[in-house]
Amino acid sequence: MSSETKKYRVLGTRPRRHDGVEKVTGSAIYGGDVQLPGLLSGFILRSPHAHARITSIDTSEAEAMDGVFAVISGKDFPEVADKIADLGEGSINLSYLSDNVMAKKKVLYKGHVVAAVAAVNVHVAEEAAARIKVEYEVLPSVTWVMDAMQDDAPLLHENLCTDHMGEKDEKPSNIAVHMHFEKGDVEEGFAKADVVVEHEFKTATVHQGYIEPHVSVADWTTSGRLKIWTATQGAFTARQQTAEILQIPISDVVVTPCEIGGGFGGKIAVYVEPVVALLSKKSGRPVKISMTREGVFEGTGPTPGSFIRVKIGATSDGKLVAGEAWLAYDAGAYPGGMIGPGCMCVFSCYDFEHAIVDGYDVCMNKPHTQAYRAPGATQVAFATEQVIDEIAEQLGICKLEIRQLNAAKEGMRRVDGPVYPRIGLVECLDAVALSDHWKSPLEGENRGRGIAAGFWFGCGLKSSVSVSVNHDGTVNLTEGSPDIGGTRTSIAMQLAEVLGIDTFDVNPQVADTDSVGYTDVTGGSRVTFATGMAAYEAGLDLQKQMVQRAAELWECSADEITVEEGEFKGPGENASFKELAQELFKDGKPLVARASVAPDCATNGFAVHIVDVEVDPETGKVTILRYTAIQDAGKAIHPSYVEGQMQGGVVQGIGWALNEEYFFNDNDTMDNASFLDYRMPTILDVPMIDTIIVEVANPDHPYGVRGVGEPPIVPPPAAIANAISEATSTRLFDLPMSPPKVWKALSETS
Amino acid sequence: MPIVFIPAQLKSLTGGVSQVEMEADNIRQVIEQLEQQFPGIRDRLCDGDELAPTLQVSVDSSMGSRGLRTRVADAREVHFLPVIGGG
Amino acid sequence: MAKTVLVTTTINGEATEFPCKPRESLLEILRDTLGMTGSKEGCNNGNCGACTVLIDGLPVDSCLVLGVEVEGVEITTIEGIADVGQLDPVQDCFLEGAALQCGICTPGFIVAARALLDKKPDADEQTIRFDLSGNLCRCTGYDKIVRAIQAVQESNGT
């Protein structure tokens, strides 16, 4: 039965989250709240230069200070082979990862870690860090992607040559990777086109902006095992990365994922964990380091800035016939940026008969980039959605209709090759047409409405859960997905649904790496989907066991027992889940079930956003008047949290669109590494964000779930750019569309 | 009998051939057959005895299959894609 | 070595004494000296509000207040918002309205919202937004936070 018509008992309700009381009373334990006897505080020393060779480090004065227990620098790290490790989600070169955690021979960006101190408190540690003497040979640096691609650009890695899918150039370059995709024949396509529009776009570096800085605690003292408590989106990947960097067996490491204050992709790679581990080993005490906010901006993983050129051709009926895209994305200091998904997403919402995409992953003297929600997709949507809007304008076609005409559907082949299964973009576009927002006229000067579509794959990957029944008939659910947004409840709801019990009869716990089976990261829009699927299957396993035991109890065969909505019925017997559980506890084996999953599908999440803006021509300020986010969730397990994911992604996208950027000065260092000047939206900057959840069931999930976390960040900058263009007849090609840039563009066109 | 799609970047090795239909049980066999037809292609797709760590295999609409053991006997299509990570 | 000062103050209605070095912030005192980790550190320079506490009823960023400055005042932290065994209506409405995702900004918002509603029980949406603009949230997009506060107002009959 499709999830569109089936009625569920628990799914679709809005229970309070299981960890809610702890979170609203301040008693939930985040990484920074962990207390251990004898805990020392650490401080990280960072490079003041964007590019330099480290010629010497003298830590003696720091080590001699009262209250200092340990100082480490690059030499304290073991050598790590140039090996690529599978992180579950993406892969990473371990020697780059280790070098990023603490520089060995060169610093590659301002803020690159060079040393760390553990002391009685953070103030002493900071003072000691200031007494570490580092000598640098400063080198020329580069922070704009197009400059970094030039033959004469300062080279970050002497041995890095451009990889063209397994074939490497001979000459070293900052261009780490070149990708190329083709569908059909674009020359033939453009020859058919009645209108062709081409534009170039630039996007600045932006940060995920989670309110909790990176924080880790390590105890590598007594038992020989390294115990870590950390803010991470994935305890298992943190364990693996840390073990690899320290060159110790993963079984020597146990990672406890604390409650986490936001991640969005930025808390998957490790930064602090190996540092506190070595400080703990050296000092003989547990050590905690919480990054400064400046350190977070300068030394973690913002998402790529980019240069993008998109050219699209259409026939006069509005049919898109050819698309050409050229993308250059920041990788930051090390290869391994988001160019792959960028190339795969640039044309992913529309059916192009012919398309060609070239993408470049480019190193430069900026922190190594990481995922920010749907990595690489927001940038290309900003380009493609504006070009499509302009085509619609030139052809005199409604901007919604041109999208409906060309929308990706089941059976459409993406430029990178795979064919879409059942997807919900068409339904989202239809929902736009029916929405109150779209039907309400927008009046007033300098006001405009824009729409844009967005796509993100949403992955499956591995999750494990175990379930045990308490003798009062409630159920413990142990899972390994750090709960960033309420997922312990959405997972518990899926178990409750399959067992026919109440959400609050399920007690979900997020466990450490010793206590639950392997589970991939909380990210990639996968947790409600995959860990939920594991909970569902564990529920089925449990039910099967209970049927078997009931058959023994009732002296009948298992085939004679039915289970419906948690009621077990046998010949002449029946019992609720709780009643049966209590009875079965009395004698015989405890009831324990488990499941693990590794679905290798994408959940294919599409979103379409509508935004109304007002532009002040005197200041260039853009005000968001009204915003509606429409998204295919497949099946909204807990609608409040689906809405919350949509609203959160929208507001991040608004910040990306209108204000957020890394300002690099002439020394290639970030001038605005604080929340004051890296200006994220406040509660005053945005209106209510309306949401419309579309449900086109995902055939790959028992309840039809699609991942929802990432798609909402894809359309906003594009939709806002389209709205600004409607409002002012001026198109902006440069993110962010901050007041000075808007004002300048308006003055130039008027 | 899947159709194996040759990545656009490797078409120089195949003389422009972009799809090959073949019988194979798994990706290892697919690559072996491709290598027989288009020498040199294995080194582009593999790193030693494993699929290149920057690649994943998509079987029909799947995403995330990564190994040479990925089964393809009942597949309609096979694609080699860049590995992607979410956030 | 800087002199340790003994500070006497009231925290959540209880008379409290703590030793303090002049450079220590109130946030550090609360979290590290007194073990009250409900107030969070997001930026340590007064830009995110995750450390919001009330001093004599006024919301302040405790990272910008020195420990030595709170001699003789009345401090309210997130730990003092709920009564024993009973959540404050603000906390209740945050939970009911799913006005939190990661929860790191939540203590700061709840303290600030409590102060706002105590002072301006009839605050309109614009006032709610203006008065809370010192509290950053990156997860929720703020929509459900505003609605939770409005729900408190409705339940009070205002």
Side-chain angles (χ1 to χ4, degrees), chain A residues 6 35 61 100 121 133 151 216 219 229 250 434 453 495 544 571 574 605 619 623 638:
Chain A
K6 184 167 178 188
Q35 304 280 7
E61 208 183 308
N100 197 34
N121 61 53
K133 296 190 184 58
D151 281 337
S216 305
D219 182 347
W229 294 259
I250 56 167
L434 295 172
L495 180 63
K544 196 163 153 207
N574 70 316
T619 61
T623 302
H638 192 313

Side-chain angles (χ1 to χ4, degrees), chain A residues 408-654:
Chain A
K409 298 187 187 56
E410 182 174 6
M412 183 200 110
R413 187 176 300 285
R414 274 204 315 262
V415 68
D416 51 295
V419 162
Y420 281 126
R422 182 78 172 94
I423 53 177
L425 176 58
V426 167
E427 285 80 355
C428 288
L429 291 165
D430 291 345
V432 170
L434 295 172
S435 70
D436 184 73
H437 190 162
W438 189 252
K439 292 198 269 200
S440 311
L442 177 65
E443 273 147 20
E445 269 187 46
N446 301 314
R447 292 180 167 198
R449 176 169 295 167
I451 59 169
F455 162 76
W456 187 255
F457 309 90
C459 54
L461 302 179
K462 301 173 180 155
S463 284
S464 311
V465 309
S466 60
V467 172
S468 59
V469 182
N470 300 309
H471 69 268
D472 63 357
T474 61
V475 173
N476 288 351
L477 167 61
T478 305
E479 46 113 344
S481 293
D483 185 354
I484 307 190
T487 48
R488 49 165 60 76
T489 296
S490 68
I491 296 163
M493 288 168 76
Q494 293 180 64
L495 180 63
E497 182 69 52
V498 71
L499 292 178
I501 62 179
D502 191 81
T503 302
F504 291 105
D505 285 336
V506 178
N507 168 32
Q509 296 297 325
V510 177
D512 62 38
T513 54
D514 275 355
S515 311
V516 70
Y518 182 88
T519 298
D520 274 313
V521 296
T522 292
S525 310
R526 63 172 297 267
V527 174
T528 299
F529 168 71
T531 309
M533 192 190 285
Y536 170 84
E537 294 196 4
L540 290 180
D541 178 22
L542 177 62
Q543 216 167 64
K544 196 163 153 207
Q545 290 182 47
M546 287 175 78
V547 164
Q548 239 0 88
R549 294 280 299 278
E552 288 163 21
L553 189 70
W554 294 338
E555 293 174 347
C556 62
S557 89
D559 296 334
E560 295 175 272
I561 299 182
T562 59
V563 189
E564 208 177 303
E565 306 260 318
E567 283 284 319
F568 291 77
K569 289 195 175 96
E573 298 273 4
N574 70 316
S576 70
F577 180 95
K578 267 196 178 154
E579 285 164 347
L580 184 58
Q582 285 162 11
E583 193 57 42
L584 292 177
F585 187 81
K586 289 182 187 158
D587 98 274
K589 299 189 277 193
L591 286 165
V592 169
R594 58 89 174 134
S596 62
V597 299
D600 64 357
C601 47
T603 61
N604 296 310
F606 284 89
V608 185
H609 292 184
I610 315 167
V611 62
D612 295 343
V613 305
E614 182 177 289
V615 182
D616 182 344
E618 291 193 33
T619 61
K621 183 171 157 136
V622 176
T623 302
I624 308 286
L625 299 172
R626 186 174 180 182
Y627 204 111
T628 303
I630 297 164
Q631 188 169 334
D632 176 16
K635 172 67 192 163
I637 301 296
H638 192 313
S640 303
Y641 288 104
V642 175
E643 291 159 359
Q645 290 296 315
M646 293 163 72
Q647 292 162 334
V650 164
V651 172
Q652 287 181 316
I654 289 173

